[in-house]
Amino acid sequence: MGKQVVPESARRRRRPTKNGEVLSERLIVETALRMLAEHGGQGLTARRLGLALGADPSTLYRYFAGMDELTLAIGAELVGRALDGWEPTGDWRADLRRLGLRIHGAYLAHPQAAVLTASRVTGREQETAADEAILAVLRTAGFPDPDAVRIYHVFIDQSLAFAALDAASLALPAAAREADEHKWESTYAGLSAASHPHIAATAGLLAARMNHSAYPAALEMLLDSAASQLGRAFRREAGREAARPSGA
């Protein structure tokens, strides 16, 4: 059973840790991010985190009910970093493009943390703020609510799915990642046109593209589709207006 977590103002340590810092949720999350980068998901434990903070591991449970809650806080921190400084301009397509690329980039800046958190729903303030921002862009642009929710769903899942996929590649040991990337030139480029005519015909293009993230292209495809949906919605509404009796 998880331990009861009390408000941070009530649980803040009066005395600094052995490292000379006062514990806080933010300090714990930032230290956890650093540990994930250095040791990967398997290396993040309460004991190791306590050592890194210069505090007894049990102290962490005054801030988080358990390591899973800390994981959610890490995910929320990445979302918050993506949203930090972003402001809507009124151009819905440009706004969603910028926000999608910021989400993807925030996760790729911490690939080990991204692998651990991209599939989670945190319910924390940073996440709800991002969801509110996306829905606000869509609804303000004129998307009917069913379309806005469907596009929001695809947009956020696409962003996080590519973040997880690309982060998993970045999190590989360097030798394994380089070997994977080299296969497009060492294996695919050498396939015979007799046995693999379509791969052989496009081998150069594949080698040039496949070691880069497909997320920007996928995002543009989504935005193209959304723009088409918005156009149809406007035409339907214009048709309904035209069909209304004069003075109705």
Side-chain angles (χ1 to χ4, degrees):
M1 179 180 297
K3 299 181 180 180
Q4 184 178 5
V5 178
V6 297
E8 185 167 2
S9 60
R11 63 181 181 253
R12 183 178 292 276
R13 286 172 56 104
R14 299 292 183 183
R15 293 178 293 104
T17 66
K18 295 176 183 178
N19 295 345
E21 298 179 283
V22 175
L23 278 186
S24 66
E25 280 195 11
R26 186 164 190 82
L27 177 62
I28 294 170
V29 168
E30 289 176 347
T31 304
L33 280 170
R34 187 174 70 250
M35 291 184 64
L36 284 168
E38 294 173 356
H39 306 293
Q42 298 302 313
L44 183 62
T45 65
R47 184 183 66 81
R48 287 185 174 180
L49 188 54
L51 286 173
L53 289 163
D56 189 284
S58 64
T59 307
L60 302 176
Y61 295 101
R62 293 176 59 83
Y63 295 82
F64 299 99
M67 293 301 291
D68 191 65
E69 187 181 355
L70 173 58
T71 297
L72 298 180
I74 292 169
E77 174 67 16
L78 297 183
V79 175
R81 292 184 181 192
L83 197 60
D84 185 31
W86 178 89
E87 293 290 342
T89 65
D91 180 338
W92 71 266
R93 183 167 181 145
D95 289 342
L96 288 184
R97 180 187 297 110
R98 285 178 55 242
L99 188 52
L101 293 174
R102 287 172 69 101
I103 292 170
H104 184 254
Y107 277 85
L108 292 199
H110 300 276
Q112 294 81 6
V115 171
L116 191 65
T117 65
S119 64
R120 303 300 301 274
V121 179
T122 75
R124 286 178 164 249
E125 179 181 357
Q126 300 97 318
E127 183 182 81
T128 59
D131 294 344
E132 177 70 11
I134 297 165
L135 287 167
V137 168
L138 292 167
R139 297 183 76 240
T140 301
F143 286 94
D145 284 352
D147 289 347
V149 169
R150 182 171 60 254
I151 295 166
Y152 154 77
H153 184 190
V154 176
F155 174 85
I156 197 64
D157 277 13
Q158 182 188 71
S159 301
L160 294 175
F162 271 100
L165 175 66
D166 295 338
S169 177
L170 290 176
L172 287 172
R177 184 172 67 252
E178 290 170 4
D180 284 359
E181 292 174 349
H182 187 58
K183 284 186 173 66
W184 293 105
E185 295 178 351
S186 64
T187 300
Y188 280 79
L191 292 174
S192 165
S195 59
H196 298 82
H198 302 294
I199 292 177
T202 59
L205 294 171
L206 289 169
R209 284 196 63 92
M210 296 305 293
N211 289 326
H212 301 281
S213 175
Y215 177 65
L219 178 58
E220 289 303 320
M221 291 179 184
L222 171 59
L223 296 175
D224 285 343
S225 175
S228 295
Q229 291 181 50
L230 185 58
R232 290 195 296 271
F234 283 159
R235 289 192 293 273
R236 286 195 301 269
E237 183 58 29
R240 284 193 288 268
E241 287 289 336
R244 288 193 181 99
S246 178

